């Protein structure tokens, strides 16, 4: 999937995250919701001391509904696609044919977490730039 860089924005701080409590933010702009979550187990693309902090576009790749983080996975309430947050949000059940775009994260010395790029195409954006 293509990786597209956008201006970095702060989406949280490692000291405020609790395992499995998602944080919602908008990136790369107000039209696109993202989800940040600390999984408590290492994940593909994970950052932080435990490599367990990941973020994804919340727009389901099937028809764009907002996915929720529940029971350790991302679940789409529209047609129940499910995505594995530890495996780059690969789809493992349902109608979506591709995983959720992963948002690349960076961490500053003070623990601030920044979104800085998106791997993959966000649903519904005619141009992902
Ligand atoms: Fe998510 Fe259909 S919009 S499964």
């Amino acid at each position: 999937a293509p990786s597209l860089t956008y201006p970095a924005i702060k989406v949280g701080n490692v000291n405020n995250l609790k395992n499995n409590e998602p944080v919602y933010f908008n990136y790369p702009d107000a039209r696109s919701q993202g989800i940040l979550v600390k999984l408590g187990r290492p994940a593909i693309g994970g950052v932080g001391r435990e490599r367990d902090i990941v973020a994804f576009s919340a727009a389901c790749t099937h028809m764009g509904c907002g996915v929720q983080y529940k029971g350790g996975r991302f679940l789409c309430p529209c047609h129940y696609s499910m995505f594995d947050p530890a495996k780059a949000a690969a789809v493992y059940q349902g109608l979506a044919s591709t995983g959720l775009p992963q948002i690349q994260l960076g961490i500053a010395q003070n623990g601030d977490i920044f979104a800085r790029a998106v791997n993959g195409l966000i649903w519904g954006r005619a141009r992902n730039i």
Side-chain angles (χ1 to χ4, degrees), residues 48-91:
R49 196 172 300 150
E50 299 163 69
R51 301 279 165 213
D52 65 341
I53 300 169
V54 288
F56 297 92
S57 166
C60 180
T61 53
H62 177 226
M63 292 179 70
C65 289
V67 301
Q68 297 152 4
Y69 183 74
K70 276 187 183 166
R73 79 265 202 261
F74 295 114
L75 171 66
C76 179
C78 289
H79 315 102
Y80 302 104
S81 285
M82 297 181 196
F83 306 86
D84 187 336
K87 295 184 177 159
V91 58

